[in-house]
Amino acid sequence: MTAVSERARLPGIWPDDPERARALQERLAPEVRVEPLDAGAVRLAAGLDVSYAPGEDRLVAAAVVLSLPDLRVVESATADAAPAFPYVPGLFAFRELPPLLEAVGRLTVEPDVYVCDGFGLAHPRRFGLACHLGWLLDRPAIGVGKSPFVGSAGDPGRERGGRAPLVAEDGAEVGCALRTRTGVRPVYVSVGHRADLEGAADLVLRLTPEYRLPETVRRADRLSRDRLKRIARPSDAGNRSF
């Protein structure tokens, strides 16, 4: 993945303290590109997620690529690591992106879209994990959260497919509440990079034929948790790659 290596090696791209990390987010936020995303044309979608060991001293990042429309697993990869950045809300990208990029780099197929368990523009500095990932890869990326991180949304309606704008405190529309299952709590979708909100929401509906959360994220979550359990077994101690 040449695009990953080039941007990930830029000077100052991995600050080691929160103040510099926030400044970097503010500097890169204007580089996020909102472009039309044709959800119906997506054939490969990657889900990304991270699971932590008790005490959060170890983590596993997972990338799972699904084909559409059948949602079959095409390829998957994981990366084990020790967190190298403090736990600070709004700065999870600096904690989780290095191992996520490692997992993505182990894939042999290139997804059309990356779906993150987190946010993109729905972020205090308009540069959440999905924006950061999309910028580093220069590929379409979207974020899907279980609850809003910034702003609030009205009622999207009870039926599947209903949506309502997610509006930040400054009045900017930064995403939407999307009902993926009738009568079930909505998810919160936001643009990461090289996508638009309408296309992102349409894609999330394609990825949620049965459950509330996208299959991409569900599979990545399961894979990262399974890997975490395996490396935590005493019999596997000699195979750890932390």
Side-chain angles (χ1 to χ4, degrees):
M1 300 288 292
T2 304
V4 175
S5 61
E6 288 178 354
R7 287 188 167 179
R9 293 173 182 171
L10 290 173
I13 205 67
W14 300 114
D16 57 4
D17 71 83
E19 183 177 353
R20 289 192 178 92
R22 293 187 187 97
L24 180 64
Q25 288 177 331
E26 292 175 352
R27 179 168 65 84
L28 294 180
E31 298 192 24
V32 171
R33 287 153 47 197
V34 177
E35 301 175 353
L37 174 65
D38 183 354
V42 173
R43 292 294 174 261
L44 293 175
L48 305 178
D49 201 9
V50 174
S51 291
Y52 291 85
E56 298 197 347
D57 60 339
R58 295 290 185 268
L59 63 81
V60 171
V64 178
V65 181
L66 302 184
S67 59
L68 284 89
D70 58 350
L71 300 180
R72 178 179 58 86
V73 176
V74 174
E75 191 177 14
S76 63
T78 62
D80 312 334
F85 192 88
Y87 182 94
V88 182
L91 300 178
F92 287 170
F94 298 95
R95 185 178 176 90
E96 299 186 349
L97 269 182
L100 282 171
L101 289 174
E102 185 177 347
V104 168
R106 292 174 178 171
L107 299 173
T108 62
V109 297
E110 185 171 37
D112 300 313
V113 182
Y114 292 86
V115 183
C116 300
D117 178 24
F119 291 99
L121 294 177
H123 179 273
R125 287 166 293 282
R126 305 294 188 267
F127 200 74
L129 188 147
C131 295
H132 208 145
L133 176 88
W135 180 83
L136 284 168
L137 298 173
D138 196 22
R139 296 290 295 165
I142 66 173
V144 183
K146 303 176 187 69
S147 58
F149 181 40
V150 298
S152 59
D155 184 0
R158 186 176 183 277
E159 301 300 316
R160 168 177 161 84
R163 60 192 77 176
L166 176 63
V167 180
E169 287 76 3
D170 62 2
E173 184 176 345
V174 293
C176 72
L178 176 67
R179 191 82 68 184
T180 55
R181 304 300 301 159
T182 297
V184 175
R185 287 181 299 127
V187 297
Y188 296 84
V189 181
S190 59
V191 169
H193 187 61
R194 295 185 58 181
D196 65 333
L197 186 56
E198 182 177 359
D202 289 345
L203 178 59
V204 171
L205 287 176
R206 290 191 72 197
L207 295 170
T208 52
E210 186 175 359
Y211 299 100
R212 176 189 175 221
L213 296 177
E215 281 299 302
T216 40
V217 172
R218 290 184 68 253
R219 303 288 182 91
D221 174 70
R222 184 186 309 165
L223 177 61
S224 62
R225 291 178 186 275
D226 288 347
R227 169 63 181 164
L228 198 58
K229 290 177 182 177
R230 288 197 299 273
I231 63 177
R233 293 171 184 166
S235 60
D236 291 341
N239 297 323
R240 295 187 183 183
S241 56
F242 294 121

